[in-house]
Amino acid sequence: MHVQPAAFLRTTLPLDLSRLDDLDGGRYHSIWLPDHMVSFWPDSIWTPEFTDLATASPSPHRHLDGLAVAAAAAVLTERVPLVSAVVDTVRRHPALLAQTALTIDHLAKGRFILGLGSGESENTLPYGFDFARPVSRFEEALTVIRLLWGSDGPVDFDGQFYTLRHARLDTEPYQGRHPQIWIGASGPRMLDIAGRHADGWWPAGAWTPEHYAEMLSAVRTSAERAGRDPMAITPGFMQVCLIGADDAALAEIAQAPLVTAFLLQVSAKTLRGFGFEHPMGENWRGFQDIDPAVLTRERILAFLADAQPEMLLAVVPHGTPSEVAKIIKAYVDAGLRVPKILDYGAMAGLAYAESSAANVRAAEDELLRLCGDVS
């Protein structure tokens, strides 16, 4: 397949669906819609003291149901595929996921892709969900979804996490084809599951082109062992980056508190690999340890005092749109085919948020020029 960028549609308030006509014009491979209860940014720094974004929105956690928004987008578009990026299998029972995916796919006339992941702490633990053994739960949920999609009548199932008794899902798939399933995976077990089950794959984090290539190889090796065509799995990636007009703008962006807070999503092990000790301590697991409500002001102030711009710039592609495109081209050379360029520079403040969309589009244009006929 040729390289084609993906678009991103935020599912937070205020919800803006006015861009859908533009996104449906053929430029984008697909539209990716997140599904969260909360965001990664700590409450303690979402205040006017740290960012003027807090004057525009009282909270970073004003999330809507991502699948409900996907259903709305399905009837407001005609061409572009819609992808949940991603729904976890902790908060939603797989039988419900199976039915909801079929529903949205009928609304979209066959354009819905069910993007799934094993879950994250901040969306599960505060609400009392059982987050034990998330990968095993995820694999069993996949089994249940496929079982319900593929059965002609009532089915029984006895698993570790789910039980079905005379369960049925008689809703036929749109034009006889079930929705594709894309899987977000980075760890060895999840990469193996993706190879055996996924139609598309994203890593939760790929810190270098070599890292991306290594994970993609693991997915394809797993697919081969399962007797699947490894090249039929679409390789995607939501590439967090920092885009600025020049070095001075980048320096200001990299020091903004909400941008610096991206390091909270990076594990101590990963940051150590780039030669830095993590400001949150040697055992910090990245996004798995984030609970924005309990990261106190004192702890975040200590984190910001110890965080260095060099740490952030080591793990996040950065530069002008042209420079960022060249970096992402290295990921394309490693196998990436559907990139989503996500400019975290927008979190530096309202002025940078206003220019972010144009910067992303310029980077996309340059990336497509660099890729040419890559397939």
Side-chain angles (χ1 to χ4, degrees):
M1 62 175 295
H2 293 289
V3 176
Q4 188 177 14
F8 186 77
L9 183 66
R10 296 193 180 278
T11 54
T12 50
L13 290 175
L15 183 64
D16 181 10
L17 300 180
S18 64
R19 297 178 55 233
L20 285 174
D21 282 345
D22 177 58
L23 302 183
D24 198 30
R27 175 184 178 89
Y28 294 105
H29 172 278
S30 46
I31 298 175
W32 297 357
L33 299 93
D35 183 64
H36 281 254
M37 299 292 287
V38 297
S39 298
F40 292 116
W41 295 290
D43 297 342
S44 56
I45 56 172
W46 193 274
T47 69
E49 176 186 359
F50 293 99
T51 176
D52 61 1
L53 294 173
T55 65
S57 178
S59 167
H61 312 304
R62 300 162 72 197
H63 289 274
L64 301 173
D65 185 307
L67 293 179
V69 176
V75 299
L76 294 173
T77 54
E78 297 179 355
R79 301 173 56 185
V80 65
L82 305 163
V83 191
S84 56
V86 296
V87 179
D88 68 69
T89 53
V90 179
R91 292 176 294 142
R92 303 179 193 257
H93 193 284
L96 180 61
L97 283 171
Q99 182 190 42
T100 301
L102 289 181
T103 302
I104 300 174
D105 202 41
H106 276 273
L107 293 172
K109 299 181 179 179
R111 292 178 290 117
F112 182 64
I113 296 171
L114 179 60
L116 295 173
S118 59
E120 297 156 338
S121 300
E122 87 280 0
N123 287 311
T124 54
L125 293 180
Y127 305 96
F129 292 105
D130 182 2
F131 196 46
R133 304 182 65 192
V135 176
S136 296
R137 182 186 299 273
F138 174 82
E139 185 165 21
E140 190 169 297
L142 276 178
T143 300
V144 171
I145 291 170
R146 296 287 194 194
L147 178 63
L148 289 170
W149 279 356
S151 300
D152 294 328
V155 296
D156 296 333
F157 178 80
D158 290 294
Q160 294 178 297
F161 306 97
Y162 304 107
T163 299
L164 303 180
R165 287 288 179 270
H166 307 296
R168 60 195 305 153
L169 184 57
D170 289 354
T171 304
E172 66 271 18
Y174 182 79
Q175 294 188 345
R177 292 182 298 181
H178 292 107
Q180 290 189 15
I181 291 179
W182 286 19
I183 294 176
S186 293
R189 287 184 62 199
M190 286 294 290
L191 293 171
D192 177 64
I193 293 169
R196 289 187 281 115
H197 296 282
D199 300 295
W201 162 76
W202 314 265
W207 307 109
T208 65
E210 294 76 18
H211 186 204
Y212 187 90
E214 179 183 338
M215 288 188 285
L216 179 56
S217 177
V219 170
R220 288 175 169 168
T221 297
S222 172
E224 287 180 339
R225 285 197 303 262
R228 305 181 66 213
D229 177 3
M231 304 309 291
I233 300 173
T234 302
F237 185 32
M238 189 176 292
Q239 177 69 74
V240 172
C241 58
L242 301 177
I243 307 178
D246 50 38
D247 289 344
L250 281 170
E252 186 171 340
I253 288 170
Q255 295 182 64
L258 290 182
V259 177
T260 302
F262 176 77
L263 287 171
L264 294 172
Q265 300 181 42
V266 182
S267 71
K269 179 181 178 181
T270 294
L271 198 57
R272 196 175 302 119
F274 287 93
F276 299 99
E277 293 302 314
H278 203 291
M280 297 297 284
E282 62 180 12
N283 296 318
W284 183 254
R285 297 182 302 161
F287 65 85
Q288 290 291 357
D289 279 344
I290 296 176
D291 185 340
V294 301
L295 287 171
T296 64
R297 173 186 169 86
E298 290 72 24
R299 193 172 188 195
I300 293 302
L301 285 176
F303 158 78
L304 292 173
D306 291 340
Q308 305 166 27
E310 292 78 13
M311 296 176 180
L312 182 65
L313 298 178
V315 297
V316 176
H318 55 276
T320 64
S322 179
E323 291 168 340
V324 167
K326 290 177 182 177
I327 297 170
I328 297 177
K329 173 58 165 59
Y331 284 82
V332 170
D333 294 339
L336 174 62
R337 290 297 176 269
V338 184
K340 168 60 197 125
I341 301 174
L342 186 64
D343 175 30
Y344 230 72
M347 303 311 300
L350 291 173
Y352 287 104
E354 290 177 1
S355 61
S356 180
N359 286 337
V360 169
R361 194 172 184 94
E364 291 171 350
D365 288 341
E366 177 63 13
L367 177 63
L368 291 173
R369 188 192 70 77
L370 291 172
C371 291
D373 293 328
V374 170
S375 61

